[in-house]
Amino acid sequence: MKNSEQLYKALSDRILVLDGAMGTMLQRYKFEEEDYRGERFKDWEHPVKGNNDLLSLTQPHAIKEVHKKYLEAGADIIETNTFSGTTIAMADYHMQDLVYELNYESAKIARKVCDEFTAQNPDKPRFVAGSIGPTNRTASLSPDVNDPGFRAITFEELRVAYKQQCEALLDGGSDILLVETIFDTLNAKAALFAIDEIQEERGISIPIMVSGTITDASGRTLSGQTAEAFLISVSHLNLLSVGFNCALGANQLTPYLETLSHNSEFHISAYPNAGLPNAFGQYDESPEFMAEQIREYAEKGLINIIGGCCGTTPDHIKAIADLVQTYQPRKLNVTI
């Protein structure tokens, strides 16, 4: 991986900034069914509105524009538009056959924009993180309350789907693979197994970010793990970083980041929501307010990578980037 050396050097020098929410930004375009379809899919037999990953093929200018805005705001790492880029998630739109192309083209768009910004300022290299979402199935829990032993997906099915996505993301130019918004660690382990297979087959070392999600005030993931249990479950691989994103605002996430930071030998990442959603599902925290919440992470030396999830915009990322540039990154623990 040609940019890995630069990535590790940048991490040792400063707190790196991840981008904000892709979905929040795409909502501003108010795309309708025909926009999602474009010319190529105008006769598709099934509705596709809401399939944001498809926009990498039908509205690539919008995806490029969102990436550009986050890079202008100060992001060091941008995520590909591939959160639902598996055959499992794409089955909702009957678009399983497009998965390789969707991931490959999404990574290419992000790569091109990153390279443009790096060329303008070689002292601040920009990196592409291939976004790997959790899918809409869970390997640990039954979707049927009357049949607790039932599973809607198997580990092997997840492994195969993740492997296809990861290969396309790498082929398209991703520097990092980001297994994110993990609500079921077994799903994540299938993704990590697939990535490890690729590392072995290709003879490469892939920087891997792992980011779980604490679903509520219980401090556990949806499949019931505490922050510490989650960390132990994913620490068998040599990861670039481990952290949390989504579900909670910055303030609520602090104690769980402390657990990771004190117990992990990896870099620590965090990209919380812009607060908790209001009654209308909107996120109310202003960029300034959210940045102030994140100041605690920086002052306590908890983080190496910081960004934003649901409800965050380039303005949020700029406020966060401006804040963290005056702080040192978290020092890595030599031993767990």
Side-chain angles (χ1 to χ4, degrees), residues 210-322:
V210 168
S211 186
T213 188
I214 299 288
T215 47
D216 56 34
S218 72
R220 293 174 180 267
T221 63
L222 188 66
S223 55
Q225 285 191 312
T226 61
E228 198 165 20
F230 167 71
L231 173 63
I232 291 165
S233 295
V234 297
S235 291
H236 58 291
L237 273 184
N238 182 25
L239 304 176
L240 176 72
S241 69
V242 64
F244 289 118
N245 73 290
C246 205
L248 302 176
N251 195 34
Q252 295 89 357
L253 202 56
T254 308
Y256 312 119
L257 285 178
E258 287 177 328
T259 297
L260 293 186
S261 182
H262 297 153
N263 293 289
S264 174
E265 61 185 356
F266 308 126
H267 297 95
I268 301 298
S269 71
Y271 48 115
N273 293 344
L276 297 174
N278 62 25
F280 302 101
Q282 303 297 309
Y283 294 87
D284 297 327
E285 280 189 3
S286 69
E288 297 73 26
F289 187 85
M290 187 176 178
E292 271 309 306
Q293 303 284 304
I294 280 165
R295 186 184 295 277
E296 185 179 4
Y297 299 175
E299 286 178 344
K300 289 183 173 179
L302 299 179
I303 51 167
N304 304 97
I305 301 170
I306 185 71
C309 205
C310 304
T312 58
T313 65
D315 289 340
H316 288 82
I317 296 307
K318 184 176 189 319
I320 292 166
D322 290 347

Side-chain angles (χ1 to χ4, degrees), residues 167-186:
E167 288 182 322
L169 287 170
L170 291 169
D171 293 347
S174 298
D175 301 302
I176 301 162
L177 290 180
L178 168 55
V179 183
E180 65 173 324
T181 323
I182 299 161
F183 62 83
D184 182 349
T185 310
L186 193 56

Side-chain angles (χ1 to χ4, degrees), residues 25-52:
M25 294 299 289
L26 289 176
Q27 283 171 9
R28 296 180 174 185
Y29 289 87
K30 296 184 166 51
F31 287 137
E32 295 298 336
E33 179 72 31
E34 59 270 25
D35 301 307
Y36 277 86
R37 288 173 176 266
E39 186 61 29
R40 179 173 167 187
F41 301 101
K42 69 177 194 294
D43 297 324
W44 198 257
E45 291 179 7
H46 309 278
V48 295
K49 186 180 176 183
N51 185 358
N52 283 351

Side-chain angles (χ1 to χ4, degrees), residues 33-217:
E33 179 72 31
E34 59 270 25
D35 301 307
Y36 277 86
R37 288 173 176 266
E39 186 61 29
R40 179 173 167 187
F41 301 101
K42 69 177 194 294
D43 297 324
W44 198 257
E45 291 179 7
H46 309 278
V48 295
K49 186 180 176 183
N51 185 358
N52 283 351
D53 294 23
L54 182 63
L55 295 172
S56 293
L57 301 184
T58 56
Q59 305 289 341
H61 65 284
I63 305 304
K64 182 175 181 180
E65 200 169 57
V66 172
H67 288 327
K68 194 175 169 198
K69 283 177 178 167
Y70 279 124
L71 289 167
E72 285 169 345
D76 298 286
I77 305 169
I78 56 168
E79 296 183 55
T80 56
N81 178 40
T82 54
F83 187 80
S84 300
T86 57
T87 49
I88 297 158
M90 280 296 143
D92 288 354
Y93 304 98
H94 303 270
M95 288 185 155
Q96 298 96 311
D97 291 346
L98 290 169
V99 162
Y100 184 91
E101 185 185 0
L102 284 171
N103 285 280
Y104 180 77
E105 292 300 329
S106 295
K108 268 182 68 177
I109 293 168
R111 175 80 273 150
K112 189 168 187 299
V113 188
C114 267
D115 288 347
E116 287 168 8
F117 274 76
T118 300
Q120 289 165 20
N121 183 3
D123 292 335
K124 186 179 165 72
R126 312 300 178 102
F127 305 98
V128 177
S131 169
I132 301 157
T135 82
N136 47 11
R137 305 283 178 90
T138 167
S140 292
L141 304 169
S142 172
D144 183 355
V145 292
N146 298 312
D147 186 1
F150 175 71
R151 296 291 180 270
I153 194 87
T154 66
F155 184 92
E156 178 61 11
E157 287 168 331
L158 285 163
R159 180 196 69 79
V160 170
Y162 281 130
K163 190 171 183 184
Q164 181 188 23
Q165 180 178 26
C166 292
E167 288 182 322
L169 287 170
L170 291 169
D171 293 347
S174 298
D175 301 302
I176 301 162
L177 290 180
L178 168 55
V179 183
E180 65 173 324
T181 323
I182 299 161
F183 62 83
D184 182 349
T185 310
L186 193 56
N187 284 35
K189 286 176 90 73
L192 294 174
F193 190 93
I195 294 168
D196 205 26
E197 274 191 323
I198 296 168
Q199 290 190 125
E200 200 171 314
E201 288 167 7
R202 297 192 178 193
I204 56 174
S205 179
I206 302 167
I208 307 164
M209 293 177 67
V210 168
S211 186
T213 188
I214 299 288
T215 47
D216 56 34

